[in-house]
Amino acid sequence: MPSWMMVSERMVTLPIQWGRADLVDLVLVANLSIARAMTDYFDLLWAESIPAPGRSPAADVAEWDALLGMLEHGATIESAGRALGLSARTAQRRIRGAMAHYGAQSQFALGAAWMRDIATRRAVG
């Protein structure tokens, strides 16, 4: 049955009754070991996932542009994510996706590759 679960760096939040869509009647598990295990599990699931049908690479680039643009001006990944309404986890995941897309081994290399891409897109478009 569909439901939800929230995992942060230090806590796991579960519904008391599985299958409810609302965020009431919660169980909070504030245990660092459990939170880390759940984070590792979700990271593994994410790494093995495939994109939803119909999603274009251009959509990914648009998501990266806003985030990388804020990093270019000195924001941290976490603060840029917050400013864009993203969780730290989603912002980190988008950075990893951009690094994979550009074949970057570091965030510095990502910035250089992204800037080249921006320049190319401006010249073409």
Side-chain angles (χ1 to χ4, degrees), residues 46-67:
W46 181 257
E48 294 176 351
S49 65
I50 57 172
R55 182 156 173 91
S56 70
D60 290 332
V61 171
E63 289 177 349
W64 301 330
D65 279 349
L67 187 59

Side-chain angles (χ1 to χ4, degrees), residues 9-55:
E9 295 172 2
R10 299 186 177 273
M11 187 180 330
V12 177
T13 307
L14 304 163
I16 289 177
Q17 182 181 10
W18 203 254
R20 290 185 61 165
D22 54 359
L23 298 175
V24 297
D25 300 326
L26 310 173
V27 173
L28 301 175
V29 180
N31 181 292
L32 189 57
S33 296
I34 292 173
R36 283 185 180 161
M38 293 302 294
T39 298
D40 291 345
Y41 174 68
F42 282 111
D43 286 344
L44 176 66
L45 287 177
W46 181 257
E48 294 176 351
S49 65
I50 57 172
R55 182 156 173 91

